């Protein structure tokens, strides 16, 4: 049997050939990822382009972490992309402090 999906009020389970009704299905959430696991799964590179400012560039993931998120660096523009925990958003900055941008 494969991944169940909800259809109306009954569960349908794929048995390898077709979907069949399954009366009792239980699920549970996977445990949340740790900060280290999240950073390890983060994209290796990010391209940023905005219409509201002149921020454009390709950022590569560094070994640094900030506010439980990876930190990225754009070598061409000498800029950092990091998560600002106080503002709860990603920020591009020319300098990176120990607690973020």
């Amino acid at each position: 049997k494969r991944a169940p999906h909800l259809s109306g009020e009954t569960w349908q389970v794929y048995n390898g050939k077709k979907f069949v009704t399954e009366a009792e299905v239980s699920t549970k959430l996977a445990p949340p990822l740790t900060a280290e696991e999240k950073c390890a799964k983060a994209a290796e590179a990010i391209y940023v382009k905005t219409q509201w400012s002149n921020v454009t560039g390709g950022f590569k993931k560094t070994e640094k972490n900030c506010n439980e998120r990876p930190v990225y660096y754009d070598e061409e523009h000498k800029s950092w992309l990091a998560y600002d925990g106080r503002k709860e958003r990603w920020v591009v900055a020319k300098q990176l402090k120990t607690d973020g941008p």
Side-chain angles (χ1 to χ4, degrees):
K1 294 183 181 179
R2 292 197 186 169
H5 67 281
L6 191 59
S7 174
E9 295 185 20
T10 61
W11 283 90
Q12 299 289 309
V13 179
Y14 188 70
N15 69 4
K17 295 181 182 178
K18 63 181 183 174
F19 283 96
V20 296
T21 300
E22 185 77 33
E24 295 182 29
V25 175
S26 65
T27 62
K28 66 178 184 177
L29 294 173
L33 297 175
T34 65
E36 293 81 16
E37 291 169 329
K38 287 179 188 176
C39 288
K41 288 187 169 200
E44 291 298 318
I46 297 175
Y47 181 76
V48 175
K49 181 177 180 182
T50 68
Q51 64 186 36
W52 299 285
S53 69
N54 61 355
V55 175
T56 300
F59 294 81
K60 290 185 179 179
K61 186 164 72 168
T62 67
E63 296 295 318
K64 299 176 186 282
N65 292 329
C66 180
N67 296 309
E68 298 185 354
R69 306 284 202 316
V71 175
Y72 295 85
Y73 186 68
D74 177 355
E75 183 68 39
E76 181 181 351
H77 298 101
K78 308 289 188 230
S79 298
W80 297 93
L81 175 65
Y83 188 77
D84 186 330
R86 293 176 301 240
K87 296 179 182 177
E88 296 183 340
R89 65 180 179 179
W90 288 88
V91 176
V92 174
K94 289 292 181 183
Q95 293 183 333
L96 185 67
K97 303 173 190 166
T98 55
D99 63 342

